[in-house]
Amino acid sequence: KYIHTGYWCSPESCTCSWSHAVNNFGKTTEKVAGMKQEKTQWKDFLENISVLQAVLTVPLLGPVCIGLMVYLMFTSLWLLPTVYFIWQLKDRHTPERGGRRTAFVRNWKVWKLVRDYFPMKLVKTAELNPNKNYILGCHPHGVLSLGAFTAFTTEACGFMDLFPGVRSCLCILGGLFQIPLYREYVMATGCCPVSKPSLKHLLSKSGKGNALVIVIGGAAESLLSLPGVNAVVMKQRKGFVKVALEFGADLVPVYSYGENDMFRQVTFSEGSVGWRLQQLFKKIMGFAPCLFMGERWFWMPYHCPVTIVVGSPIPVPKQPCPTQEEVDHYHALYMEALAKLFNEHKASCGLSDSHELRIL
């Protein structure tokens, strides 16, 4: 059962729009057995703190971990970072061999508080066979991909309940697994590098029932993350299709409605100094720094309902050496399925019929 406009209702009987689940002040209400219950100030505070830590983790935790290890090297505790660096060198291949996911971290209560803040929900439109492997393409990237992170690296949205026997794994930039301490955190959530050796291991040496989640648009798409904009970068993104063919993994489109509404991003005109600096940073680091602001506390995201819809699988045959024509064919099928998924669910997710998906 889901909570929509404040009432408990089943998916079959509910006709209300999820977009009205939160009022202008972010105060949700529930009506259970005729009793109206306002969200307490304490619950609201916990949600805000939980979301703030999730937002700050992305840009700040990595530099903090590096700074801490460097600092300790010049103190009497220098032996601790030294031993850790030696161990990290020995452990360097672990992220590309499935990582070290931990149920304890994935089930932290803090993730449910993040879910309730917006609120978020995960919608299943078709079954995923646990005897097969899948590549889920998640769109759009958004500023921080909070929807993808919450839905697929935690159990706050109930992924394992919706898809029994299927393990989700969010594939992220490989460079993040080089950061001391930070790498332990992202591996504990079940994340793995989005590199060929990592994908190969997960699709060929980790059994069946693996759902690899890739945010296809990446850094280029993050710069398009603006409220009311539904644009995805993928016309030239065909690598994931080739991998799917090589290992016979079915393709599944996923769209995160509301992802682009979480923040207000500062945009630079093409050719400006700010735009050039963003492009230079993206070329060096692999991602683009976004200047964004939230509803309050500067980086607190707006209270906007986020609905992550998982589409139907596209059957993909195993072709160890796929031709370019085969890659193009299944890439076209994927784009068609993504557009269909967007149009079928946009009304129920709060968008008007005039909204169209732009595929760039």
Side-chain angles (χ1 to χ4, degrees):
K1 295 184 177 181
Y2 302 102
I3 300 177
H4 289 262
T5 55
Y7 292 86
W8 285 100
C9 51
S10 67
E12 294 80 7
S13 63
C14 179
T15 58
C16 57
S17 172
W18 179 254
S19 63
H20 298 116
V22 180
N23 62 22
N24 293 334
F25 300 98
K27 303 295 184 180
T28 61
T29 60
E30 300 175 1
K31 287 187 178 180
V32 183
M35 297 296 291
K36 182 177 180 180
Q37 298 179 343
E38 293 271 348
K39 182 187 294 185
T40 65
Q41 291 184 344
W42 177 243
K43 177 71 159 48
D44 189 59
F45 172 76
L46 290 177
E47 288 178 6
N48 280 272
I49 294 300
S50 299
V51 170
L52 186 61
Q53 70 80 25
V55 171
L56 295 179
T57 290
V58 178
L60 298 183
L61 184 57
V64 168
C65 290
I66 294 173
L68 175 63
M69 298 299 276
V70 172
Y71 169 75
L72 291 176
M73 287 293 294
F74 295 93
T75 68
S76 58
L77 299 175
W78 62 269
L79 186 60
L80 291 179
T82 301
V83 172
Y84 179 87
F85 285 133
I86 295 173
W87 177 81
Q88 182 179 339
L89 182 63
K90 182 180 179 181
D91 191 59
R92 64 187 182 279
H93 296 302
T94 297
E96 293 186 335
R97 294 174 180 171
R100 279 191 294 268
R101 63 190 293 137
T102 306
F104 172 72
V105 175
R106 290 175 64 91
N107 286 283
W108 276 349
K109 186 177 180 180
V110 66
W111 307 131
K112 293 183 179 180
L113 293 169
V114 172
R115 175 201 65 193
D116 294 341
Y117 173 90
F118 291 96
M120 288 182 183
K121 71 170 181 177
L122 185 65
V123 174
K124 166 185 173 181
T125 64
E127 296 289 343
L128 295 184
N129 188 342
N131 295 317
K132 301 196 68 174
N133 286 327
Y134 302 90
I135 292 182
L136 279 60
C138 192
H139 314 266
H141 183 284
V143 173
L144 299 176
S145 293
L146 282 180
F149 179 87
T150 306
F152 301 114
T153 69
T154 81
E155 292 303 324
C157 295
F159 181 88
M160 293 185 68
D161 294 331
L162 289 174
F163 304 102
V166 180
R167 299 178 299 276
S168 61
C169 172
L170 182 63
C171 299
I172 60 178
L173 290 174
L176 298 177
F177 295 90
Q178 306 302 319
I179 302 176
L181 300 180
Y182 185 81
R183 68 193 294 270
E184 316 303 332
Y185 170 72
V186 292
M187 278 197 290
T189 63
C191 290
C192 288
V194 65
S195 63
K196 186 64 178 290
S198 175
L199 300 181
K200 179 180 179 180
H201 179 90
L202 292 169
L203 293 174
S204 63
K205 298 181 180 179
S206 294
K208 300 297 182 181
N210 295 297
L212 280 59
V213 183
I214 303 176
V215 185
I216 306 298
E221 198 171 271
S222 65
L223 298 178
L224 301 175
S225 303
L226 301 170
V229 173
N230 297 287
V232 297
V233 177
M234 67 163 302
K235 279 188 177 180
Q236 303 302 321
R237 305 292 175 98
K238 301 180 181 181
F240 72 104
V241 178
K242 185 177 181 180
V243 171
L245 282 164
E246 289 177 354
F247 298 98
D250 289 356
L251 294 169
V252 182
V254 178
Y255 199 86
S256 181
Y257 297 87
E259 187 76 42
N260 286 345
D261 299 327
M262 294 183 185
F263 300 99
R264 303 297 182 262
Q265 186 177 171
V266 178
T267 59
F268 300 99
S269 59
E270 187 172 346
S272 65
V273 175
W275 181 85
R276 291 176 181 175
L277 289 175
Q278 281 182 324
Q279 299 304 311
L280 178 62
F281 193 93
K282 183 175 72 173
K283 184 177 181 180
I284 297 174
M285 301 299 296
F287 64 95
C290 298
L291 299 180
F292 60 91
M293 294 179 294
E295 183 177 19
R296 52 200 169 95
W297 299 357
F298 192 74
W299 273 354
M300 283 297 296
Y302 284 80
H303 286 274
C304 58
V306 178
T307 306
I308 303 99
V309 182
V310 181
S312 301
I314 302 170
V316 176
K318 186 175 182 178
Q319 300 287 358
C321 297
T323 65
Q324 189 59 49
E325 289 74 16
E326 290 173 323
V327 172
D328 291 342
H329 172 70
Y330 285 97
H331 184 260
L333 289 179
Y334 180 87
M335 289 194 295
E336 181 182 344
L338 177 62
K340 181 180 178 182
L341 178 73
F342 176 84
N343 290 324
E344 285 181 350
H345 295 272
K346 62 183 180 181
S348 62
C349 293
L351 301 182
S352 65
D353 292 335
S354 61
H355 280 83
E356 297 293 338
L357 180 66
R358 293 169 52 210
I359 300 180
L360 307 175

